[in-house]
Amino acid sequence: MNFVVIVAAGTGSRMNSSLPKQFLELNGRPVLMHSIERFSQSQDVSEIILVISREMEEFWKALCMENQFDEVYHLVYGGKSRFESVRNGILYIQEHFQIGNNDYIAVHDGARPIISSELIARAFHGAYQHHAVVLAQSSVESVRIGNPRSSKALDRNQVWLVQTPQVFQAELLINAYCQPEDPLFTDDASVVEKMGNSVAIVEGDPKNIKITYPQDLQIAQFYLSLPD
């Protein structure tokens, strides 16, 4: 089976809004509904695990009623960090499903609503071959590393901008999330990598943006207006 853990328990502090970004309106519906629907429509996904904060559950249920949103998913409460939220989603899968060698788990940001079925399929098929993959786009900008006082140039051909979903052979991801949380864990690939596993790159899509700042909603609205 193929699972996706959609992580939507964050506060969205950079949006200058009291409402977390995944619940903001995009094309008449909350951002998160777009993300869930994209995976519901994918033939590569068997089960959707939605992770939200306990405090937002009643608000989310009210939004679903208001928008007549009836996609099927399993609801899990998030933790104090993204790491804990993903781990809660993984624990739910372990408790409710029999996991085998041919099962895979994707992890996706709830605030990435423009993900396409083609890109979801590409990520899973990359995982079938490599066991651990991230979607990523090569950098088109010049890149420097350092701080405002001192920096040095990097070869941008070696720099990749990571997206989600990130897809892993299920047991591999489960074992990786048995580790203690580390401040250097910025995504699921970094958790898996800490165990000594290699992570392959699958070409992403520039439209697969994460809603982070207010202007991102306008960009996402434009992408939604484009023909498939």
Side-chain angles (χ1 to χ4, degrees), residues 63-209:
L63 285 177
C64 289
M65 290 185 63
E66 179 183 335
N67 289 273
Q68 298 181 338
F69 186 74
D70 57 1
E71 299 290 353
V72 177
Y73 56 83
H74 306 271
L75 187 65
V76 177
Y77 296 132
K80 296 179 181 178
S81 64
R82 186 185 188 279
F83 179 90
E84 289 187 8
S85 294
V86 174
R87 184 166 59 189
N88 289 352
I90 292 171
L91 287 173
Y92 182 92
I93 293 172
Q94 287 182 273
E95 292 170 0
H96 292 83
F97 298 93
Q98 188 71 34
I99 302 299
N101 292 331
N102 295 323
D103 296 327
Y104 288 81
I105 301 175
V107 184
H108 187 66
D109 298 320
R112 288 187 188 270
I114 316 295
I115 182 72
S116 66
S117 293
E118 179 185 358
L119 199 55
I120 293 169
R122 194 188 307 168
F124 273 104
H125 285 270
Y128 300 156
Q129 181 177 358
H130 300 288
H131 303 299
V133 301
V134 298
L135 291 175
Q137 286 276 290
S138 58
S139 176
V140 296
E141 307 283 359
S142 294
V143 180
R144 301 187 69 83
I145 188 171
N147 57 61
R149 293 187 177 182
S150 177
S151 65
K152 63 178 181 179
L154 296 179
D155 180 3
R156 69 181 179 188
N157 294 316
Q158 299 296 313
V159 175
W160 293 82
L161 308 178
V162 175
Q163 305 175 349
T164 66
Q166 301 180 6
V167 187
F168 310 89
Q169 195 273 339
E171 288 290 350
L172 187 155
L173 187 65
I174 289 168
N175 291 335
Y177 267 91
C178 290
Q179 299 177 92
E181 185 171 359
D182 188 311
L184 297 179
F185 291 158
T186 57
D187 64 358
D188 311 289
S190 59
V191 180
V192 168
E193 199 170 46
K194 183 73 179 292
M195 297 285 289
N197 301 293
S198 297
V199 178
I201 292 174
V202 172
E203 185 72 24
D205 185 337
K207 295 191 296 297
N208 184 26
I209 64 170

Side-chain angles (χ1 to χ4, degrees), residues 40-71:
S40 294
Q41 294 171 349
S42 170
Q43 296 182 354
D44 293 276
V45 175
S46 308
E47 301 287 344
I48 297 173
I49 316 300
L50 174 63
V51 185
I52 64 172
S53 66
R54 185 185 298 268
E55 293 77 11
M56 298 301 293
E57 181 181 10
E58 292 306 315
F59 179 76
W60 169 246
K61 288 181 177 179
L63 285 177
C64 289
M65 290 185 63
E66 179 183 335
N67 289 273
Q68 298 181 338
F69 186 74
D70 57 1
E71 299 290 353

Side-chain angles (χ1 to χ4, degrees), residues 43 223 228:
Q43 296 182 354
Y223 285 149
D228 294 334

